[in-house]
Amino acid sequence: MLQAIDLTKRYEDQQLALDALNLEIKEGEIFFLLGANGAGKTTTINLFLNFIEPTGGRALINGIDVTKEPLESKKYVSYVSENVMLYGNFTARQNLDFFAKLGGKTNLTRDDYYMRMREVGLQEEAFEKKLKTFSKGMRQKVGLTIAIIKDAPNILLDEPTAGLDPKAAAELLQILVNLKRQGKSILMCTHDIFRAKNIADRVGIMKEGRLVMVRTREEFMEDDLEKIYMNYMQEMVIEKV
Amino acid sequence: MLRHLIIKEIQEIITNTRSLFVLLICILLIPLGLYVSSKEYEQNRAAYKDAKQMYEERNKDNKGMEFVAEGYIPPSPLSIFSSGLSVYLPNKITTDSRGVWHEENDYGINNPVALLFGKIDFYFIITIILSLLAFMVTFNSISGEKENGTLRLIVANAVPRWKIIFAKIAGSYTVFLISFLVGVISGLVLLALTTSVPILSVSYLIPFLVIMMISLLFLFILFNIGILLSIKTRNSGASITASLLVWVLIAIIIPKVSPMIAQIIYPIKTEEVVNKQKAMKRDEIRAESDRTSGELMKSIMSERGMNAEKLDFFNMGDDPNVKAALVEYDGMIVDVKRKYDEMEINAIGIIEKDYHNQQLVQQNISKNISRISPIGCYTYLISDLTNTGLIELSNIEYNARQFSSFTESEFYSKLRKYYKEYHIGFNVSKGIFGKVDWNSIHVPTLNTYNYPTMISSLGANWIDLLFICFYSIFFFAVSVFQFIKYDVR
């Protein structure tokens, strides 16, 4: 379970990146955080991963305060970033092996890695190929496999479908649905409203560091999510003008 | 966890072409540098033996007060690691009957082009080539991982940051160390097969190991500086620019500028001016000596009822009175000459000592400024450990004094005793040689030249050793501390 309680981040230049965010993502739930660039989506993820310290409030992973116990909290979370480069001179399996061991999975065999890579749709011939030969979509799949192998109850994804072709993006989202079925709490930051409509259980829209709207699946299926989102975006543009 | 991080670091580096380049450079350049330096050592050793032998043969019958004794300085086997000042260091000490000694350099220049470009010896390879390669290996160790996003993925796991940076340093340094050691071992094998340099003999093994230890510590400093720069810069491009600038600063600017700054802070006379001062003093004392000699001659002559000023020394015939006066003069002038010689030596010694002290002050200012760079500290340590550094300048003086006093006691004083005893004067070719036991007087040679011991070299450079240790700990600690606070985003 992921919880943000009055989570606030003000940077050194006094810019308020996150303003008292309150959020709870339960087990087996996919939460999509939508918003324009600079809305505070990535800041939220950075705070959950303790990459930065909050100026107020708390971020909890499975009830553990990430600021007070950063190492303990990280045992219960996996992370997939926007542009997974990984180690270009390592094969896909070597990359998996390294990150699996970092995640505490030291007993996995070559077959275990192969099985996981098959699950995310990687072709067999890619398993022992160097990652620098991979397309972006393939690298994202390896990145997702790293998150899966860790088998943490919570997964944070920061724009994982950015730059992916529609097929690769659809495959990636299908994997997320499978993970949700396994009971994982998933927080995904994205601009991709169409994917949100497809798989999200709840959707939140962020604007200038604030979570301005949260809709459940039922609610946003009834409403026109695109319209709501675009309205918020337009409001923001008008305010800026 | 730490083991996995280190293994990954090693794997990552060895799959990079840069590490192959480092290995190639080490395998090619270190043996080449050691081989070329060893051949040069062998040449110098052979030249030393020839010169010494020729001197002994040429002078075995040359036993007069005008004889100038020569002591030849053997090259140090450790000089194969650092040529240091060897081109400028004297290879010969000369000393005369007045106890005046000089240092001379007869080596000459075999290949001036080599001097023009500088030698590739072990010291050069470490301070210029490997120091640059250390930066090339580490420049993107952190900034590159940040760009790739792998650092975020690592830090997203339950891994303490100190372990990540420790693994970075340990992994990259281990790979570099292996390349370096492969190069050194290849060099030693090459030396063992092709040269006669006794570097692995008992007396040189420990200094060799100490040189290796200090070199490894020095490379460790550069690794930490490289990693620190990688932490402090935002991307690989900025890292490589910063690394090159810092390298230029510590490898070239600081060591080369420090003597200039010392010259500005503490200007001293040039050697030419000091030589003129010495010549003036010498002329002054010699003029006084001549005046005293003349007065002595006058007084001896007047005691015998003669006027020295009216005597025609070229047409005196066999006047026994004049002859007796000259013999008396010869007997007394020895002490007078000796007194003025001593005066001259003392006066020149004072000028030289004063100049030497000024040089030392300037040298110390220069040394202290250059110690800002680890390369400065490494240079002083290695050049002195290999007997080609600044200590050797004073060590040669020490050996020259020893040789001078040995020559005085074993050669000149014996000759002087005979001269005084038989009143034969300085013109020994007319002396009464038959009464002298010439076999008891041997041509003085410098049979034992004492190089400073390793302990005394380390002792004299304790501050540099301390700085090397300090820089190692300091840059390592700063790197770890900075990475713990590092913004991985």
Side-chain angles (χ1 to χ4, degrees), chain B residues 226-242:
Chain B
I227 285 174
L228 183 59
L229 289 171
S230 191
I231 293 171
K232 297 302 283 181
T233 44
R234 293 199 68 78
N235 55 54
S236 299
S239 298
I240 192 145
T241 310

Side-chain angles (χ1 to χ4, degrees), chain A residues 11 46 71 74 85 87 150, chain B residues 145 148 154-155 157-158 489:
Chain A
Y11 287 113
N46 286 339
L71 292 182
K74 283 174 187 175
M85 294 299 288
Y87 296 106
K150 189 173 177 184
Chain B
E145 288 237 26
N148 285 346
I154 294 173
V155 177
N157 285 287
R489 291 173 297 151

Side-chain angles (χ1 to χ4, degrees), chain B residues 145-165:
Chain B
E145 288 237 26
K146 186 178 180 173
E147 278 177 325
N148 285 346
T150 42
L151 195 57
R152 282 198 301 278
L153 283 182
I154 294 173
V155 177
N157 285 287
V159 188
R161 288 210 180 183
W162 71 264
K163 285 189 179 177
I164 299 170
I165 189 69

Side-chain angles (χ1 to χ4, degrees), chain B residues 96-157:
Chain B
D96 61 21
S97 59
R98 296 177 304 152
V100 176
W101 49 264
H102 292 284
E103 298 159 354
E104 290 173 25
N105 186 330
D106 297 341
Y107 276 139
I109 301 167
N110 289 340
N111 184 357
V113 179
L115 275 183
L116 210 54
F117 290 110
K119 284 181 187 169
I120 292 198
D121 55 11
F122 181 81
Y123 163 81
F124 177 85
I125 293 166
I126 295 266
T127 53
I128 302 295
I129 298 170
L130 292 187
S131 67
L132 188 59
L133 288 178
F135 280 172
M136 293 304 100
V137 167
T138 52
F139 82 91
N140 67 345
S141 55
I142 301 295
S143 55
E145 288 237 26
K146 186 178 180 173
E147 278 177 325
N148 285 346
T150 42
L151 195 57
R152 282 198 301 278
L153 283 182
I154 294 173
V155 177
N157 285 287

Side-chain angles (χ1 to χ4, degrees), chain B residues 455-473:
Chain B
I455 300 293
S456 66
S457 293
L458 287 176
N461 289 290
W462 66 270
I463 195 155
D464 296 302
L465 194 60
L466 194 73
F467 263 100
I468 292 263
C469 295
F470 167 74
Y471 283 140
S472 304
I473 297 165

Side-chain angles (χ1 to χ4, degrees), chain A residues 11 46 49-52 71-72 74-75 77 79-87 89-90 94 98-99 101-104 106 130 146 150, chain B residues 1 4-5 7-9 11-13 15-17 145 147-161 168 486-489:
Chain A
Y11 287 113
N46 286 339
L49 290 168
N50 195 237
F51 290 168
I52 47 175
L71 292 182
E72 186 60 22
K74 283 174 187 175
K75 288 179 185 169
V77 68
Y79 169 58
V80 181
S81 68
E82 180 186 350
N83 194 5
V84 183
M85 294 299 288
L86 299 171
Y87 296 106
N89 283 330
F90 285 10
Q94 283 173 323
F98 169 62
F99 284 105
K101 280 171 180 161
L102 278 195
T106 50
K130 284 190 175 175
I146 288 169
K150 189 173 177 184
Chain B
M1 183 78 75
H4 300 313
L5 285 163
I7 290 170
K8 171 248 141 190
E9 202 59 43
Q11 280 178 336
E12 199 195 351
I13 293 168
T15 52
N16 192 311
T17 44
E145 288 237 26
E147 278 177 325
N148 285 346
T150 42
L151 195 57
R152 282 198 301 278
L153 283 182
I154 294 173
V155 177
N157 285 287
V159 188
R161 288 210 180 183
K168 275 262 165 236
Y486 187 61
D487 184 356
V488 297
R489 291 173 297 151

